[in-house]
Amino acid sequence: MTNPQVAPGPRTREQRLADTLAMLGSPVRDVWVATASTAPDGTPVPYLVPLSLAWIDDRVVLALDATSRTGRNLLAAGTARLSLGATRDVVMIDAVLERSVRVVEAPADLAEGYAAQADWDPRPGGDHDVYLVLRPRRVQAWREVDEIAGRVLMRDGEWV
């Protein structure tokens, strides 16, 4: 009998990439979004929130109020770290802001693609709502310690 607590061994790079893309493209996917700002005294102020994610054209798309702390941080710094999945099946993405699109001005493919995958539609929302389109720069994925060595799937915006 196989112990369900023991992982079957490390996945191949191909399987890890396929699993990562499946996770990113799955419906109703939530992501932890880490951003930071600087306090008036120069102290870094990290911030972490869960948001709904859509994976459209190899980009992470988030919808949020541009005046929220996460919106302000992302628009100012242009970078974020994202985390999907559980501790034993995690995908970490370091991303840069590619563009910001006001929800009321968004092209149909962006708005409909987001609504379809995220399972909610921000278009009836407020005047400050935006889609933030993030370009992954580094993607890492691992399940167990035996996958740590090969965890980098994307480096400098290129799949490796």
Side-chain angles (χ1 to χ4, degrees), residues 104-115:
V104 296
E105 298 170 351
D109 62 332
L110 179 64
E112 291 166 13
Y114 181 86

Side-chain angles (χ1 to χ4, degrees), residues 8 15 19 24 27 34 36-38 44 64-66 79 81-82 85 93 95 98 104 113 148-150 152:
Q15 186 60 55
D19 292 348
L24 286 165
S37 59
T38 305
L64 66 153
D65 184 328
T79 63
R81 175 168 266 196
L82 314 172
I93 301 171
E98 186 171 84
V104 296
I148 294 291
V152 177

Side-chain angles (χ1 to χ4, degrees), residues 12 17 40 63 80 102 109 112:
T12 64
L17 178 57
R102 291 186 61 223
D109 62 332
E112 291 166 13

